[in-house]
Amino acid sequence: MKFKYFAIAAALLACVFSANAQEKLGSDVWIGVNGGVITTASFNNLQPYAGIEVGKWFTPVWGARLGVAGPFQSYSSDKSNLNDPNWNPKQTFGELNVDGIVNLSQAISKNSLPLVDFYLFLGPTMNIAGKNTEFNGVTADNGTLLVKAVDGVKARFGATAGAGLGFNLSKCCNLGIEWRTGVTPSIFGD
C-alpha cells in the first residue's frame, strides 16, 4: 500500500518536469533536446512530451530560446462530454514556445561556469492542433450545450512560464530538469 502512494506521488512530481540536454554550438548559442510528460491541470492523464530547442545567451544572465514540442495530450477521463461521439479526448498537437530566460546562478556566481544553473523563463506559446468540436447552438435536456465535429487545423495562443535546474557537466554540455506551465485555449475544442 505504501508503494502505491509513493508511485502516485512520484507520478505527480514527474508530470511537471522534463529532462533536457544541451550542446553549445558556440560561446553563446546552444541546441537542446528534452523529453518528459505533459498533462492538463487535472493531472489525470500523463502523456509523453518531447521537444527540441535552440537558444542564445545575450549575456551570462539573460537569454532567449525557441522550442518546438508535442506530440499529443489526453483530457481527463472523468469529464461528462466523453460520452459525446463528436468529442475526442486525445489530441495530437504541435507547440511552439519562445522564452526569455534569466539565469539566477550566473547573476550571483563568482565562477564563470557554476556547477548548477538555476533559471526562470517566461514567454508566448502557440499550439497547433485540429479544431475537433465547436458549439452547435443546441442545448441538451440537462442544460449542457452540445457540440458538433469540425475538421481543420487551428492555432491557439497563450503564455508559458517555468523554472529549470541545469547541471553543467562541462563547458559544452548541460543536463537538467525543467518545469513548465502554460495557459492557452483548449486544444480539445469546445
Side-chain angles (χ1 to χ4, degrees):
M1 192 64 136
K2 288 182 182 180
F3 179 76
K4 178 181 174 184
Y5 291 121
F6 177 76
I8 291 170
L12 287 175
L13 282 176
C15 69
V16 297
F17 288 112
S18 69
N20 57 48
Q22 297 176 353
E23 182 73 27
K24 292 185 180 176
L25 299 177
S27 62
D28 57 358
V29 176
W30 81 87
I31 186 167
V33 293
N34 52 55
V37 291
I38 189 171
T39 184
T40 59
S42 64
F43 295 104
N44 286 341
N45 290 325
L46 303 177
Q47 294 293 316
Y49 180 82
I52 187 165
E53 63 187 36
V54 176
K56 177 172 176 53
W57 290 107
F58 303 111
T59 71
V61 176
W62 296 99
R65 68 180 172 188
L66 173 68
V68 177
F72 45 81
Q73 194 170 29
S74 290
Y75 204 65
S76 172
S77 60
D78 62 356
K79 300 299 178 194
S80 61
N81 55 354
L82 281 173
N83 296 326
D84 188 325
N86 294 323
W87 195 79
N88 182 8
K90 189 168 187 175
Q91 177 72 296
T92 55
F93 76 104
E95 179 178 69
L96 179 68
N97 295 302
V98 179
D99 298 324
I101 307 170
V102 59
N103 187 331
L104 300 176
S105 297
Q106 288 286 359
I108 61 174
S109 176
K110 296 180 194 259
N111 201 347
S112 64
L113 183 65
L115 177 62
V116 176
D117 285 326
F118 176 70
Y119 57 93
L120 303 173
F121 58 90
L122 171 71
T125 186
M126 177 179 72
N127 293 327
I128 300 173
K131 191 166 180 185
N132 265 353
T133 61
E134 66 183 26
F135 292 115
N136 65 6
V138 177
T139 305
D141 293 337
N142 64 1
T144 306
L145 291 172
L146 299 179
V147 296
K148 64 180 178 180
V150 177
D151 291 328
V153 175
K154 183 176 180 182
R156 297 159 179 93
F157 298 91
T160 63
L165 188 64
F167 300 93
N168 292 308
L169 303 177
S170 71
K171 289 188 336 186
C172 298
C173 187
N174 178 300
L175 185 63
I177 55 176
E178 196 169 275
W179 164 71
R180 176 186 299 271
T181 189
V183 177
T184 59
S186 176
I187 62 173
F188 297 100
D190 299 308

